Amino acid sequence: MDQDAEAILEHETSLGLRVWQLMFICLGSVLAVVVMLCCCIRFRIPRTKQDIEADYRRKRLTRKFRERLDCMNNTDIDEMDLLKALDRVRQQCLVEAQKSSRNEVVVNFEYHDSDVFKSA
């Protein structure tokens, strides 16, 4: 059987080529056409700019949420579900926001005081 397949592949066609050479040329040209189509025609997944930006925001939020969860104790996390974890992270964020807003007020106050002394 192996000799029969080899004999068929080595059979010469009317173009002066062997069958295996003709098969190689046909498959090579099909591959070349597919590559040319893929390179020349721009295939685009229909997404809007808003979708891309929303995905970016989601990834950023989940990364921050994961960082906050990493800061918590393992024993606390074992007892939590998603809602409790969200409440805890929300509380931590509010505390940090209050601290940063106090620091900004102090910095702004110091900046305005220095302006007053320079102009006087």
Side-chain angles (χ1 to χ4, degrees), residues 4-90:
D4 292 337
E6 191 174 310
I8 291 172
L9 290 176
E10 289 295 328
H11 181 37
E12 195 169 319
T13 61
S14 61
L15 298 173
L17 299 172
R18 302 206 187 290
V19 173
W20 68 268
Q21 292 171 332
L22 194 58
M23 287 174 51
F24 181 80
I25 290 171
C26 289
L27 289 174
S29 10
V30 167
L31 181 65
V33 168
V34 168
V35 168
M36 293 289 277
L37 284 175
C38 289
C39 290
C40 295
I41 299 174
R42 183 178 175 191
F43 293 103
R44 184 176 178 272
I45 299 171
R47 291 177 58 189
T48 62
K49 183 178 178 182
Q50 290 84 9
D51 292 338
I52 295 169
E53 289 174 352
D55 287 343
Y56 173 73
R57 282 189 220 107
R58 280 187 208 99
K59 288 177 187 176
R60 192 176 63 205
L61 282 173
T62 54
R63 188 175 347 129
K64 287 181 181 181
F65 184 71
R66 189 174 300 128
E67 289 171 2
R68 300 279 183 170
L69 287 178
D70 288 341
C71 295
M72 293 183 192
N73 293 333
N74 291 339
T75 56
D76 293 341
I77 291 178
D78 290 340
E79 300 170 2
M80 285 189 190
D81 61 347
L82 181 60
L83 292 176
K84 289 180 183 177
L86 277 171
D87 287 339
R88 182 122 180 231
V89 169
R90 187 178 296 129

